[in-house]
Amino acid sequence: QVQLVESGGGSVQAGGSLRLSCAASGFRSRNSRMGWFRQAPGKEREGVAARDNDGSTSYADSVKGRFTISIDNVKSTLYLQMNSLKPEDTAMYYCAAGCLWASCGVGYPSRYNYWGQGTQVTVSS
């Protein structure tokens, strides 16, 4: 059974940093496409960062240069390092896995089959 469990969210001031973690089980995270998505109240879910099974990464334009996606294959844990946080980064952040399409970048949240429960990130100005 696939499980994704996020942690690391919280409340920070603008300019601060947070590192989100996503503990994965039930599948081989090393060769899996995984990503981070977020959803703010009243808005659609949007892609933040994605990692393909060849290790390549992609980011939403709004977070490029500030966020970094990485994986620890020994711990089967996906991370999202978030620096220089802005109030507009406030959202529920979700970890996702299990995309079997040819393209699984940040623009395709509906292509991911497995989702965590989310972790809240709140950035105050």
Side-chain angles (χ1 to χ4, degrees):
Q1 182 178 358
V2 174
Q3 277 196 317
L4 301 171
V5 180
E6 302 98 331
S7 61
S11 297
V12 296
Q13 290 191 328
S17 298
L18 284 173
R19 187 177 79 158
L20 306 184
S21 300
C22 171
S25 61
F27 67 102
R28 284 179 172 267
S29 60
R30 178 188 298 271
N31 296 322
S32 178
R33 295 181 170 104
M34 299 184 72
W36 288 98
F37 298 82
R38 66 187 181 187
Q39 188 167 20
K43 294 188 177 181
E44 291 187 357
R45 188 168 296 188
E46 63 174 358
V48 176
R51 180 187 178 278
D52 210 333
N53 51 12
D54 63 358
S56 61
T57 57
S58 60
Y59 296 90
D61 288 343
S62 60
V63 306
K64 281 181 181 177
R66 300 188 298 122
F67 290 12
T68 303
I69 188 172
S70 63
I71 193 167
D72 183 327
N73 289 311
V74 174
K75 295 181 179 179
S76 294
T77 300
L78 185 73
Y79 299 101
L80 184 68
Q81 178 67 44
M82 306 186 295
N83 299 327
S84 302
L85 283 161
K86 303 176 181 180
E88 50 264 44
D89 294 319
T90 295
M92 185 72 80
Y93 282 70
Y94 298 91
C95 171
C99 176
L100 302 178
W101 292 68
S103 296
C104 299
V106 293
Y108 305 103
S110 63
R111 294 183 176 181
Y112 287 78
N113 294 314
Y114 305 111
W115 292 84
Q117 83 289 349
T119 185
Q120 178 68 38
V121 172
T122 302
V123 185
S124 58
S125 57

